[in-house]
Amino acid sequence: MTNQLDTKSQAWSALFSEPMSELVKRYTASVFFDKRLWQADIAGSLAHAEMLAAQGIISAQDLADIQRGMAQIAQDIESGAFEWKLDLEDVHLNIEARLTQLVGDAGKRLHTGRSRNDQVATDVRLWLRGETDLIIALLADLQKSLVEVAEQNVEVILPGFTHLQVAQPVSFGHHLLAYVEMFSRDAERFADVRRRTNRLPLGSAALAGTTYPLDRERVARTLGMVDAQGQPQVCQNSLDGVSDRDFAIEFAAAASLCMVHISRFSEELILWMSQNFGFVKIADRFTTGSSIMPQKKNPDVPELARGKTGRVVGHLMGLITLMKGQPLAYNKDNQEDKEPLFDTVDTLKDTLRIFSEMVGGQVNPATGQKEGGITVNAQAMEEAAKKGYATATDLADYLVKKGLPFRDAHETVAHAVKAAASQGCDLSQLPLPALQGFHAAIEGDVYDVLSLRGSLNARATLGGTAPEQVRAQIARHRTRLA
Ligand code: ARG
């Protein structure tokens, strides 16, 4: 019978009297997905080794050997020359085994005062911190694209809907800025999750801490795990340090909400692109044709983004369920955190990149101008806003200003709408005597409030759709995003 020690393939071998079956090996191994953590793994190991040397736990020579070996390993992984072995289970054991092969005993000393439990928790945090920073930057790009298009469309009017029924006219710029608000809150959420992600588990060891005189704060500083004041951020309870994955769940929740916002926007793009609306076009490179219907141009990208929202929300469910019922401290269940987390990051980053370009276009290097963003059909939007009595509330407000209680004004306008509908015309097309038939207080100036533009201009409260308000919001966003 093969003893695992002889094959030197596993880290704990002497106790075991039979090798793992191939199926179990595949079932328990994570290297084919967690190798993605290699940079974080090496960074964590180097910070740990540097601290071990500073504390006199390993020699300066050991540290130099470890640094030399790790530099080689990093080079090999980057060039593709590194041989990942399923037998070595995960990224941590693969790198450590190779290190020992390269530098001998120093490699075997690296794991002093450390366990894979605090090692993996550190790696995931370091990796996710970097990805979170990228996502925050991508969210800023998307917001900038939206603000640019909003700025070009402050005066463009489309019907605002409630219940998907025409409600009141709104500025298309205002409509887009609603999404800027959502994405700015998403960015805030990611920044907040980052604070709790950026804390150091290393030094928790397997679960209870370690007997070596480690300087955990030094390691935290080396890895940039510090707060805004530069104070090192270290997990304060070893049991929690190795087993907490809240940060990953919070991240997935922030990602889910962000995808939900993307999905809502996608749904609107899809509606707006349909022939029945005809409000916008997106560039051909974000659409596909049909294999049977020659006339089709389908909004595949927004549809897929809407669909991928389900996938990301699913990952949140997977991660949160994974944690449910786990006793302290580390359990192998936690190895299952990686694939959902990786896929969440990949899906969100790709989606944000595509949406920034789909909305705002791409810089043409010849002109320095952005091209190929969404095309707005202002006329179709305005035509649609003229249907559905979008200015009925304005007529009610007009009557209130003439002294009617709002409820009575509401009732009066309902009669006017009914009459206009039966004549197949808009309120603004009813002649003055007809309007006066509904209330004597109505005068010639009523037509100002019945126009789309009058209605828009009148909603000048903070956060309202009046162009002056929309411009003020654009200026605020521009300063914030600069
Ligand atoms: N691959 C493992 C994970 O991702 C590393 C930690 C393994 N620890 C252990 N005690 N088996 O969680």
Side-chain angles (χ1 to χ4, degrees):
M1 194 166 296
T2 329
N3 182 312
Q4 299 285 320
L5 256 187
D6 298 335
T7 63
K8 293 244 182 301
S9 64
Q10 272 157 347
W12 53 83
S13 308
L15 196 61
F16 292 77
S17 54
E18 61 172 7
M20 235 182 213
S21 81
E22 284 305 313
L23 178 59
V24 173
K25 235 186 240 175
R26 255 200 301 117
Y27 195 73
T28 57
S30 54
V31 62
F32 289 112
F33 51 87
D34 70 14
K35 66 182 175 189
R36 177 168 174 160
L37 297 173
W38 69 269
Q39 272 165 318
D41 195 65
I42 291 178
S45 287
L46 288 174
H48 179 67
E50 190 263 336
M51 178 275 296
L52 290 177
Q55 297 294 95
I57 302 168
I58 63 171
S59 70
Q61 185 57 52
D62 284 335
L63 173 61
D65 288 345
I66 290 169
Q67 288 168 331
R68 176 170 53 81
M70 286 300 197
Q72 177 70 52
I73 291 171
Q75 218 177 55
D76 290 349
I77 296 176
E78 248 165 67
S79 74
F82 190 89
E83 200 190 327
W84 296 100
K85 294 187 181 127
L86 182 75
D87 274 356
L88 289 169
E89 198 182 314
D90 58 23
V91 60
H92 324 291
L93 294 179
N94 267 269
I95 290 179
E96 194 187 326
R98 177 71 183 136
L99 181 71
T100 301
Q101 225 177 36
L102 285 170
V103 305
D105 282 355
K108 295 188 198 162
R109 292 200 180 99
L110 170 62
H111 215 51
T112 311
R114 187 177 76 166
S115 154
R116 272 188 300 156
N117 299 349
D118 55 348
Q119 185 179 359
V120 69
T122 304
D123 290 5
V124 176
R125 283 170 182 266
L126 282 176
W127 172 81
L128 191 59
R129 180 184 72 185
E131 297 296 333
T132 303
D133 288 340
L134 288 175
I135 287 166
I136 292 171
L138 291 173
L139 276 166
D141 289 345
L142 176 55
Q143 290 177 70
K144 284 181 202 161
S145 288
L146 285 163
V147 169
E148 265 164 43
V149 181
E151 191 159 39
Q152 293 152 13
N153 291 282
V154 174
E155 301 284 351
V156 171
I157 298 176
L158 81 165
F161 297 103
T162 61
H163 316 270
L164 207 57
Q165 306 287 311
V166 171
Q168 291 172 356
V170 293
S171 144
F172 186 52
H174 190 57
H175 195 113
L176 292 177
L177 291 188
Y179 287 99
V180 175
E181 294 290 335
M182 294 179 228
F183 294 126
S184 80
R185 288 194 300 276
D186 288 328
E188 280 175 27
R189 257 185 291 275
F190 280 114
D192 196 48
V193 176
R194 187 195 193 280
R195 281 195 309 116
R196 280 180 294 279
T197 302
N198 199 27
R199 289 179 190 160
L200 181 77
L202 266 184
S204 302
L207 75 165
T210 175
T211 55
Y212 300 95
L214 303 189
D215 183 349
R216 299 187 62 207
E217 295 192 335
R218 180 187 180 112
V219 178
R221 271 193 293 267
T222 307
L223 293 173
M225 289 179 145
V226 294
D227 66 10
Q229 286 73 45
Q231 289 307 305
Q233 299 295 297
V234 169
C235 298
Q236 297 288 319
N237 179 296
S238 59
L239 296 163
D240 182 49
V242 291
S243 62
D244 163 38
R245 298 290 182 276
D246 304 8
F247 67 91
I249 298 170
E250 279 189 70
F251 175 88
S256 295
L257 254 180
C258 184
M259 285 299 293
V260 165
H261 294 151
I262 288 274
S263 179
R264 296 185 70 186
F265 185 45
S266 296
E267 172 68 9
E268 300 215 280
L269 287 173
I270 294 162
L271 286 171
W272 291 341
M273 283 173 69
S274 95
Q275 287 74 5
N276 300 315
F277 283 76
F279 288 0
V280 300
K281 280 195 182 127
I282 57 175
D284 281 356
R285 63 187 184 285
F286 301 105
T287 63
T288 58
S290 156
S291 56
I292 173 167
M293 295 167 282
Q295 85 282 14
K296 294 278 270 189
K297 232 181 234 180
N298 296 327
D300 284 35
V301 165
E303 288 175 289
L304 269 173
R306 193 174 57 182
K308 283 175 194 285
T309 303
R311 171 171 173 156
V312 171
V313 173
H315 293 325
L316 167 63
M317 293 306 122
L319 283 168
I320 198 162
T321 310
L322 166 67
M323 192 48 66
K324 178 189 170 297
Q326 274 196 52
L328 288 175
Y330 175 85
N331 302 281
K332 188 80 165 192
D333 311 41
N334 285 337
Q335 183 166 290
E336 288 289 309
D337 65 356
K338 295 184 189 55
E339 286 163 295
L341 204 51
F342 294 166
D343 190 67
T344 297
V345 164
D346 292 342
T347 306
L348 183 57
K349 280 191 339 195
D350 284 351
T351 305
L352 292 174
R353 282 195 187 107
I354 293 178
F355 270 66
S356 291
E357 198 198 310
M358 193 169 69
V359 172
Q362 249 179 340
V363 178
N364 176 343
T367 60
Q369 297 293 309
K370 273 195 169 183
E371 289 171 8
I374 70 172
T375 315
V376 176
N377 186 339
Q379 205 191 334
M381 288 187 182
E382 289 220 23
E383 285 307 316
K386 285 181 189 151
K387 294 176 199 151
Y389 307 100
T391 57
T393 316
D394 297 87
L395 180 55
D397 290 345
Y398 173 89
L399 290 170
V400 167
K401 282 171 196 151
K402 300 275 182 190
L404 258 75
F406 182 77
R407 281 294 158 224
D408 293 342
H410 186 281
E411 183 61 16
T412 302
V413 176
H415 287 296
V417 168
K418 200 171 171 188
S422 74
Q423 293 169 40
C425 71
D426 185 45
L427 283 176
S428 62
Q429 291 167 317
L430 290 176
L432 188 59
L435 285 169
Q436 283 169 333
F438 298 107
H439 203 280
I442 294 178
E443 293 170 79
D445 59 354
V446 72
Y447 293 103
D448 298 338
V449 309
L450 289 180
S451 77
L452 293 178
R453 215 149 287 280
S455 167
L456 206 70
N457 291 336
R459 287 181 168 67
T461 35
L462 198 162
T465 194
E468 59 174 277
Q469 276 302 320
V470 179
R471 288 205 178 85
Q473 294 294 339
I474 287 170
R476 182 176 67 81
H477 289 304
R478 283 220 183 272
T479 316
R480 184 174 65 73
L481 292 165

